[in-house]
């Protein structure tokens, strides 16, 4: 029984007292944050699908610390910083989440799976009905993706890091993961964690922004039917269009081709009528990937992450990017309101921020509250889908051009 | 800031280019679909011509009973003389195109 102390017997508790004070304090904060995230997820204030496993992951990683054979403090979940192949192979046999992290998360596979699921849920018919309006709105909803880059640069980040955190403005989790993996591998863990934390906030935060910037009278506008009848497109047309768009975008941006391919594969499966594939992608694959993503994001939130001074900058820049994008989308909505001489509801602009389908639902919910007769969902979903495409285009442009601009 | 402005312009150009491709490709695909669906239309016309006089009468009566108006009056209205269009409307009613 020699050398058996309280710390050795209960390392989870013991490490609180033997670690530096800052780390112990950060662990307590992250455990509290994990509890809060689970509570808010359960209350549907944050996205429960990601936030509940993420919250529990945060709690487990910050309580389940122990002393490693070399005397350092570690865990048996995963080590995101491993790069040596031999070490990685050894760790895969010890840390239970290491194989999933290495083989699905750090290579962007999980982002592609989620994109396939999103594609399989999208009806691009809404985009085909109004391609120019939807694309214009979506570009306005990317304002934060552009304007955050110089702000981040001014705050001391490199151009690659600035572009990666600015992608949060596109409100598309898989795209942020993919871009940061390509441009700022050193920061991709905190950037992705920050992105998903904030994306969960869009559902609760954007309604306040809309109410602040759009008066009640305009929020209640019911769009009068256009003289020209809105066409509905056959599944064959939508499928053919998805094939053409995949071809063009992969040709233009080969670096973002895995994401484009995944998105359009989902759309093609949906429209091709392959029921078993569609069911597999929209249920098992999408929910399985979302669950693993949430769990991994949670266990990546260890105390070292919070004590890194750059995380504070990322937190500020992330919320700024989403805020500017939301304002940009609303400005786009106002422009179309004036162009269409009042026959347009500017609330649709918020749906241009491509958090599919959350922002479209937010827009309809706000409008219904003011005027139950007003239905804007088809316009909102069109802008929402275009938002996914424009975010992928911008990711492609950033990943292609920024490495050449150093 | 200059770099960002250039990237904004490129993004705008690419996104609008994609919108243009979507619009043009939709028109093209629609035309192709229409052209390839013609035999189907002909098949449907042939099918209705095969219907016996009796079954047409039964269908007509059923329609009148359900909607309180003669099918021919409902669809032909003031355009009774435009037999080609009316015929197409009737066909579409009884044999809607499968999607």
């Amino acid at each position: 029984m020699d050398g058996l102390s309280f710390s050795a017997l209960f390392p989870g508790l013991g490490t609180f007292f033997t670690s530096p004070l800052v780390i112990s304090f950060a662990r307590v904060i992250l455990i509290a944050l994990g509890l809060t995230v689970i509570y808010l997820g359960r209350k549907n204030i944050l996205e429960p699908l990601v936030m509940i496993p993420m919250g529990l992951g945060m709690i487990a990683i910050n309580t389940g610390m122990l002393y490693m054979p070399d005397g350092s403090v570690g865990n048996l979940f995963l080590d995101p910083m491993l790069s040596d192949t031999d070490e990685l192979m050894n760790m895969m046999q010890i840390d239970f989440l290491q194989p999933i992290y290495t083989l699905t998360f750090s290579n962007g596979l999980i982002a592609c799976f989620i994109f396939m699921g999103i594609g399989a849920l999208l009806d691009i018919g809404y985009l085909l009905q109004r391609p120019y309006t939807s694309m214009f709105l979506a570009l306005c909803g990317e304002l934060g993706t552009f304007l955050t880059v110089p702000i981040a640069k001014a705050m001391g980040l490199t151009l690659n890091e600035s572009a990666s955190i600015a992608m949060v403005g596109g409100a598309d989790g898989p795209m942020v993961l993919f871009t940061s993996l390509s441009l700022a591998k050193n920061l991709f863990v905190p950037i992705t964690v920050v992105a998903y934390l904030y994306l969960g906030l869009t559902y609760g935060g954007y309604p306040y922004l809309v109410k602040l910037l759009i008066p009640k009278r305009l929020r209640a506008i019911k769009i009068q039917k256009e003289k020209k009848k809105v066409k509905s497109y056959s599944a064959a047309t939508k499928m053919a269009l998805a094939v053409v768009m995949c071809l063009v975008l992969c040709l233009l941006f080969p670096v973002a081709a895995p994401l484009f391919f995944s998105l359009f594969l989902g759309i093609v499966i949906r429209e091709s009528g392959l029921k078993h594939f569609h069911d597999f992608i929209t249920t098992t694959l999408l929910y399985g990937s979302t669950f693993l993503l949430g769990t991994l994001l949670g266990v990546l939130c260890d105390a070292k992450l919070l004590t890194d001074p750059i995380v504070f900058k990322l937190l500020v820049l992330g919320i700024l990017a989403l805020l500017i994008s939301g304002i940009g989308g609303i400005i786009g909505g106002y422009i179309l309101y004036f162009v269409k001489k009042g026959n347009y509801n500017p609330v649709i602009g918020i749906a241009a921020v491509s958090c599919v389908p959350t922002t479209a639902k937010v827009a309809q919910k706000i409008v219904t509250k003011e005027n139950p007769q007003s239905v804007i969902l088809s316009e909102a979903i069109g802008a929402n889908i275009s938002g996914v495409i424009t975010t992928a285009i911008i990711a492609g442009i950033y990943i292609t051009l920024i490495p050449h601009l150093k | 800031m200059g770099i960002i402005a250039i990237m904004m312009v490129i993004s705008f150009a690419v996104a609008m280019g994609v919108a243009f491709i979507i619009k043009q490709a939709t028109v093209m695909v629609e035309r192709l679909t229409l052209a390839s669906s013609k035999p189907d239309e002909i098949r449907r016309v042939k099918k209705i011509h095969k219907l016996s006089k009796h079954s047409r009468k039964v269908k007509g009566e059923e329609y009148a009973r359900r909607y309180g108006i003669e099918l021919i009056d409902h669809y032909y209205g003031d355009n009774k003389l435009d037999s080609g269009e009316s015929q197409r409307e009737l066909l579409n009613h009884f044999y809607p195109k499968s999607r």
Side-chain angles (χ1 to χ4, degrees):
Chain A
M1 297 292 274
D2 282 349
L4 192 63
S5 60
F6 174 79
S7 224
L9 199 57
F10 299 107
L13 280 170
T15 48
F16 269 107
F17 302 105
T18 53
S19 302
L21 193 64
V22 183
I23 296 283
S24 299
F25 187 61
R27 279 173 68 187
V28 173
I29 289 180
L30 282 166
I31 292 166
L33 186 64
L35 289 167
T36 314
V37 160
I38 292 176
Y39 175 75
L40 295 177
R42 180 70 182 87
K43 288 273 172 192
N44 272 321
I45 296 168
L46 295 180
E47 174 57 70
L49 292 177
V50 176
M51 292 303 157
I52 290 177
M54 187 173 168
L56 198 62
M58 271 185 196
I59 295 168
I61 195 76
N62 287 292
T63 46
M65 290 286 184
L66 72 168
Y67 298 105
M68 304 310 277
D70 63 358
S72 63
V73 174
N75 61 68
L76 294 176
F77 288 77
L78 60 88
D79 185 349
M81 294 304 160
L82 289 179
S83 54
D84 179 67
T85 321
D86 288 344
E87 214 178 347
L88 201 58
M89 284 310 292
N90 283 336
M91 273 305 165
M92 279 210 204
Q93 297 168 62
I94 299 168
D95 291 351
F96 87 107
L97 282 175
Q98 193 72 47
I100 297 171
Y101 174 80
T102 308
L103 302 174
T104 67
F105 192 86
S106 66
N107 60 3
L109 178 66
I110 215 160
C112 291
F113 279 163
I114 292 176
F115 242 54
M116 261 181 228
I118 292 172
L121 292 173
L122 290 182
D123 181 354
I124 56 163
Y126 297 113
L127 168 64
L128 304 188
Q129 284 166 358
R130 312 168 186 86
Y132 291 112
T133 329
S134 302
M135 279 289 181
F136 171 76
L137 267 185
L139 280 167
C140 294
E142 297 289 352
L143 199 63
T145 317
F146 292 112
L147 295 189
T148 310
V149 178
I151 299 171
K153 195 90 176 48
M155 284 172 77
L157 270 65
T158 66
L159 193 55
N160 283 16
E161 292 165 352
S162 306
S164 301
I165 187 65
M167 282 307 295
V168 177
D172 208 315
M175 210 75 78
V176 179
L177 173 62
F178 195 79
T179 313
S180 53
L181 265 172
S182 307
L183 291 178
K185 206 155 184 167
N186 57 319
L187 282 184
F188 96 93
V189 172
I191 289 176
T192 312
V193 171
V194 166
Y196 274 96
L197 263 179
Y198 283 148
L199 293 189
L201 283 174
T202 53
Y203 198 72
Y206 272 165
Y208 294 103
L209 183 70
V210 171
K211 281 176 191 165
L212 189 73
L213 296 178
I214 304 174
K216 196 175 176 179
R217 179 178 60 85
L218 299 184
R219 294 201 300 266
I221 288 176
K222 185 184 174 194
I223 302 173
Q224 300 304 315
K225 278 186 181 169
E226 293 163 25
K227 281 175 198 163
K228 212 172 105 184
K229 201 182 164 194
V230 178
K231 263 189 172 184
S232 59
Y233 293 94
S234 67
T237 309
K238 291 178 201 170
M239 190 175 154
L241 257 294
V243 172
V244 172
M245 280 156 75
C246 182
L247 186 151
V248 172
L249 291 172
C250 286
L251 198 66
L252 287 176
F253 306 109
V255 280
L259 274 185
F260 287 126
F261 166 73
S262 306
L263 179 72
F264 290 110
L265 182 64
I267 296 172
V268 166
I269 295 286
R270 176 194 163 94
E271 303 303 343
S272 62
L274 298 170
K275 192 181 171 299
H276 298 301
F277 282 2
H278 185 258
D279 289 349
F280 165 67
I281 292 175
T282 53
T283 54
T284 314
L285 190 70
L286 181 59
Y287 288 108
S289 306
T290 309
F291 168 71
L292 288 177
L293 180 74
T295 310
L296 285 172
L297 286 171
V299 298
L300 285 169
C301 290
D302 69 348
K304 281 180 208 154
L305 178 95
L306 195 75
T307 48
D308 188 341
I310 204 158
V311 172
F312 178 71
K313 287 182 187 174
L314 297 179
L315 282 167
V316 173
L317 290 165
I319 196 97
L320 203 62
L322 272 179
L323 184 71
I324 300 172
S325 284
I327 294 170
I330 292 170
I331 292 172
Y334 270 117
I335 294 172
L336 287 178
Y337 167 77
F338 288 116
V339 169
K340 299 204 172 193
K341 293 171 184 142
N343 188 24
Y344 198 81
N345 194 322
V347 176
I348 298 167
I350 203 71
V353 185
S354 68
C355 196
V356 177
T358 311
T359 44
K361 284 199 292 189
V362 164
Q364 181 60 61
K365 206 174 148 188
I366 297 166
V367 170
T368 307
K369 205 175 166 190
E370 305 301 346
N371 179 3
Q373 305 294 317
S374 178
V375 180
I376 52 133
L377 200 61
S378 64
E379 281 90 350
I381 290 179
N384 220 205
I385 298 167
S386 303
V388 178
I389 296 170
T390 49
T391 311
I393 290 172
I394 295 167
I397 289 173
Y398 279 1
I399 297 170
T400 311
L401 294 184
I402 283 184
H404 300 284
L405 295 174
K406 280 176 185 171
Chain B
M1 202 63 193
I3 296 164
I4 293 305
I6 292 167
M7 285 190 190
M8 280 172 97
V9 172
I10 295 173
S11 304
F12 187 82
V14 174
M16 283 303 155
V18 169
F20 177 76
I21 291 168
I22 291 171
K23 194 81 191 169
Q24 295 308 311
T26 312
V27 174
M28 213 170 73
V29 172
E30 285 282 283
R31 276 186 195 155
L32 281 171
T33 315
L34 201 70
S36 60
S37 68
K38 231 176 187 174
D40 188 42
E41 180 104 344
I42 291 164
R43 265 202 302 279
R44 289 192 302 126
V45 172
K46 278 183 181 166
K47 195 173 176 184
I48 201 163
H49 282 310
K50 275 188 198 162
L51 281 175
S52 67
K53 265 189 180 176
H54 175 72
S55 61
R56 285 189 201 193
K57 198 180 163 195
V58 169
K59 278 178 187 289
E61 281 171 359
E62 193 182 279
Y63 188 90
R65 205 169 39 248
R66 188 183 292 174
Y67 298 105
I69 184 168
E70 289 277 328
L71 175 64
I72 196 152
D73 288 330
H74 194 169
Y75 274 101
Y76 291 5
D78 293 330
N79 297 318
K80 261 185 195 177
L81 291 174
D82 182 7
S83 56
E85 191 60 31
S86 309
Q87 173 84 342
R88 188 189 297 270
E89 294 242 36
L90 275 172
L91 287 174
N92 285 338
H93 179 77
F94 284 116
Y95 295 95
K97 273 184 185 173
S98 55
R99 289 195 72 197

